[in-house]
């Protein structure tokens, strides 16, 4: 019997030892992970978040065809979207594609010769001109960098040529080692050969002043430009489904008015934040363009929960000139602040009894609570945008700061437990 009691006592001691060791291991692990392993952070940095709606849209312009009686190959002389005056030559018509190709080569050869002659004349520059030229080189380089960062590359070749010319001018002035006589002789020979082919195109003149566009897409007369503000939801639906018509006997078109329109339909609930005359912005994701300034021109009567929206714009370049059916994003609001996971924000009660939203940050090995003001909570997102100008929370009676405001580059704790203001995790 004593043996049985001894065995039970021994077993009980073993169980107790196991329990004590298990508890110690758990506590050690909890302390270790709590202080060293369980905190993940994200750097608070400035972001811009847009509240926007996507819409299929159609471009309407004040377009007039350029009539042409001559058949052949049309060669534009100015790029699409460029401003021209009434009577200006905007294109030529060649009898064949070969003649058109020869004409373009001849035009480029004559321009090349003019460049070489201008560079040779640079040898008469003086020291004062060199200083001015250095400034012009820097400006040409900046203009080239700016052009490469845009979606409109129509002037990129001109910017490159301008920089090359100015660099060559500087080389001529500084050491006079550039000799273009051989190049000019070669160009003269090319010009003579091409002129012997009797290139004789006919001119195409602009019927009115405006913006020239060489491409015809068949949608030019789909919507009446003069009655654009009367467009309805059903009309917009038909426009978006319309098929282009075949255009013949035309040599391009002129956009007479600087103002063009973007028509679409949107959910009628958005009319609460829209008003005629309101300045807004749109993005064009397909073209990689953001922040285009537009103005609300009209909002139609509601139909099936939608309204027809007309936006106006006065920007023009080659890209805008060739747009027609597009997908656009209408920016309703824009928020600038810090992007923070929603789960990192906690509500606490300050010593003065005020409810405050805070995030916990790590500075070195010290945990600190920072006050935050939530600006925007995107739909179906785990993140919120907090105001980068959040004010500190302080006690009006004691003038003591209770919680400092979140700052840029704060390391916000996004994962961890036992979050306590002023706690050391070292």
């Amino acid at each position: 019997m004593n043996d049985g009691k001894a065995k039970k006592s021994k077993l009980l001691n073993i169980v107790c030892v196991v329990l004590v060791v298990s508890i110690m291991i758990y506590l050690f692990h909890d302390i270790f992970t709590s202080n060293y392993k369980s905190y993940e952070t994200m750097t608070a940095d400035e972001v811009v978040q847009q509240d926007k709606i996507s819409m299929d849209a159609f471009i309407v312009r004040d377009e007039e065809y350029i009539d042409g009686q001559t058949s052949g190959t049309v060669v534009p002389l100015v790029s699409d979207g460029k401003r021209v005056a009434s009577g200006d030559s905007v294109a030529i018509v060649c009898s064949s594609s070969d003649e058109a190709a020869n004409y373009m080569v001849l035009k480029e050869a004559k321009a090349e010769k003019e460049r070489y002659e201008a560079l040779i004349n640079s040898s008469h520059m003086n020291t004062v001109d060199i200083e001015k030229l250095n400034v012009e080189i820097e400006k040409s380089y900046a203009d080239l960098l700016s052009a490469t960062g845009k979606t409109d590359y129509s002037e990129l070749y001109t910017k490159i040529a301008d920089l090359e010319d100015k660099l060559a001018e500087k080389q001529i002035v500084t050491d006079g080692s550039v000799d273009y006589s051989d190049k000019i002789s070669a160009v003269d020979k090319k010009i003579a050969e091409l002129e012997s082919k009797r290139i004789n195109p006919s001119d195409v003149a602009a019927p009115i002043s405006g913006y020239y566009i060489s491409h015809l897409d068949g949608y030019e007369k789909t919507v009446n430009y003069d009655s654009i503000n009367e467009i309805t939801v059903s009309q917009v639906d038909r426009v978006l489904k319309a098929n282009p018509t075949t255009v013949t006997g035309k040599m391009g078109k002129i956009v007479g008015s600087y103002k063009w329109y973007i028509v679409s339909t949107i959910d009628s609930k958005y009319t609460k934040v829209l008003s005629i005359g309101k300045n807004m912005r749109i993005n064009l994701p397909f073209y990689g363009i953001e922040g285009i300034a537009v103005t609300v021109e009209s909002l139609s009567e509601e139909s099936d929960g939608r309204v027809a929206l007309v936006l106006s714009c006065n920007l023009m370049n080659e890209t805008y000139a060739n747009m027609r059916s597009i997908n656009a994003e209408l920016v309703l609001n824009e928020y600038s602040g810090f992007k923070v996971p929603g789960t990192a924000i906690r509500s606490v009660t300050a010593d003065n009894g005020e409810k405050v939203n805070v995030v916990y940050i790590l500075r070195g090995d010290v945990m600190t609570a920072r006050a935050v003001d939530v600006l925007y909570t995107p739909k179906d997102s785990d993140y919120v945008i907090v105001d980068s100008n959040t004010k500190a929370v302080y006690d009006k009676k004691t003038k003591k700061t209770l919680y400092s405001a979140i700052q840029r580059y704060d390391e916000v704790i996004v994962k961890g437990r036992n979050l306590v203001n002023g706690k050391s995790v070292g």
Side-chain angles (χ1 to χ4, degrees):
M1 187 171 223
N2 289 334
D3 290 342
K5 290 182 178 180
K7 289 181 179 179
K8 289 182 179 180
S9 178
K10 184 177 181 181
L11 180 60
L12 182 60
N13 288 336
I14 293 173
V15 171
C16 290
V17 170
V18 171
L19 288 174
V20 171
V21 171
S22 298
I23 291 172
M24 291 181 65
I25 292 174
Y26 173 79
L27 291 175
F28 176 79
H29 177 268
D30 185 61
I31 293 172
F32 180 81
T33 56
S34 174
N35 288 336
Y36 298 95
K37 298 292 185 181
S38 62
Y39 297 111
E40 293 182 8
T41 64
M42 186 188 80
T43 304
D45 204 353
E46 197 85 25
V47 296
V48 176
Q49 182 76 39
Q50 293 179 334
D51 183 12
K52 55 195 178 185
I53 56 175
S54 179
M55 57 188 190
D56 292 324
F58 187 87
I59 305 296
V60 180
R61 307 181 191 88
D62 179 20
E63 297 167 325
E64 181 174 328
Y65 287 126
I66 303 174
D67 293 323
Q69 303 299 323
T70 305
S71 61
T73 302
V74 179
V75 179
L77 298 180
V78 296
S79 59
D80 287 353
K82 290 298 181 182
R83 183 80 182 177
V84 296
S86 176
D88 283 355
S89 293
V90 294
I92 59 167
V93 181
C94 298
S95 59
S96 66
S97 58
D98 288 340
E99 184 183 29
N102 289 332
Y103 174 85
M104 293 304 297
V105 175
L106 177 60
K107 181 182 178 183
E108 292 171 1
K110 289 181 177 179
E112 188 176 4
K113 180 179 179 180
E114 289 178 0
R115 286 181 59 202
Y116 292 145
E117 290 175 340
L119 290 172
I120 290 174
N121 292 331
S122 299
S123 60
H124 301 294
M125 296 175 66
N126 53 38
T127 305
V128 177
D129 293 322
I130 280 291
E131 295 177 358
K132 179 181 178 182
L133 183 57
N134 285 333
V135 175
E136 292 176 351
I137 288 173
E138 292 179 3
K139 184 179 183 303
S140 293
Y141 180 67
D143 290 344
L144 176 58
L145 290 179
S146 177
T148 58
K150 298 178 180 179
T151 55
D152 178 20
Y153 300 113
S154 58
E155 296 184 354
L156 192 56
Y157 174 80
T158 303
K159 301 294 184 184
I160 294 173
D162 183 63
L163 179 59
E164 289 177 344
D165 289 350
K166 286 183 170 55
L167 291 172
E169 287 177 18
K170 184 174 181 179
Q171 186 176 358
I172 290 173
V173 173
T174 53
D175 57 28
S177 61
V178 180
D179 183 1
Y180 287 109
S181 58
D182 290 342
K183 292 182 179 294
I184 291 178
S185 296
V187 172
D188 282 337
K189 182 179 179 180
K190 182 189 291 187
I191 291 173
E193 291 176 353
L194 291 168
E195 288 181 339
S196 68
K197 298 180 183 293
R198 298 184 182 279
I199 302 172
N200 189 29
S202 58
D203 285 338
V204 176
I208 59 173
S209 297
Y211 300 99
Y212 170 71
I213 301 177
S214 61
H215 176 66
L216 302 175
D217 57 18
Y219 290 107
E220 284 77 16
K221 303 300 180 181
T222 304
V223 179
N224 188 334
Y225 178 88
D226 294 326
S227 59
I228 188 69
N229 290 340
E230 301 171 11
I231 198 166
T232 64
V233 171
S234 60
Q235 287 174 329
V236 174
D237 288 342
R238 285 196 296 271
V239 166
L240 294 175
K241 296 177 182 178
N243 294 316
T245 58
T246 301
V247 181
T248 59
K250 309 298 180 183
M251 300 299 169
K253 59 191 174 187
I254 297 294
V255 177
S257 175
Y258 71 93
K259 183 185 289 187
W260 48 276
Y261 300 106
I262 304 155
V263 299
S264 184
T265 63
I266 58 172
D267 194 305
S268 59
K269 66 182 181 182
Y270 294 114
T271 57
K272 296 177 182 179
V273 295
L274 299 179
S275 59
I276 296 175
K278 183 176 182 179
N279 295 324
M280 306 190 73
R281 295 187 178 275
I282 62 170
N283 304 326
L284 302 177
F286 178 81
Y287 296 92
I289 304 176
E290 295 186 350
I292 301 174
V294 296
T295 302
V296 178
E297 287 288 329
S298 70
L299 294 161
S300 75
E301 294 292 329
E302 180 181 347
S303 176
D304 295 328
R306 294 181 296 152
V307 297
L309 170 67
V310 178
L311 304 170
S312 65
C313 183
N314 58 11
L315 301 176
M316 182 60 73
N317 59 30
E318 187 171 7
T319 301
Y320 298 134
N322 286 295
M323 290 178 182
R324 187 64 79 182
S325 295
I326 60 171
N327 176 261
E329 294 173 342
L330 178 62
V331 180
L332 301 178
N333 286 295
E334 191 169 84
Y335 305 91
S336 177
F338 302 135
K339 183 178 180 181
V340 176
T343 54
I345 297 178
R346 291 167 169 79
S347 179
V348 299
T349 302
D351 290 344
N352 61 356
E354 181 182 348
K355 287 288 185 181
V356 181
N357 285 330
V358 301
V359 294
Y360 289 88
I361 70 167
L362 283 180
R363 299 195 69 181
D365 59 357
V366 177
M367 185 183 302
T368 305
R370 297 284 204 194
V372 294
D373 290 331
V374 178
L375 283 179
Y376 177 59
T377 303
K379 185 179 180 181
D380 301 326
S381 175
D382 296 332
Y383 291 87
V384 298
I385 304 300
V386 301
D387 194 346
S388 55
N389 294 315
T390 297
K391 304 298 182 183
V393 178
Y394 67 98
D395 192 317
K396 294 180 180 179
K397 293 181 179 179
T398 64
K399 305 300 182 182
K400 177 184 177 182
T401 298
L402 304 177
Y403 296 101
S404 297
I406 187 172
Q407 300 293 318
R408 191 176 187 182
Y409 304 131
D410 277 346
E411 291 295 326
V412 178
I413 298 174
V414 296
K415 182 180 180 182
R417 51 183 183 167
N418 300 323
L419 303 181
V420 178
N421 189 25
K423 174 182 176 180
S424 175
V425 298

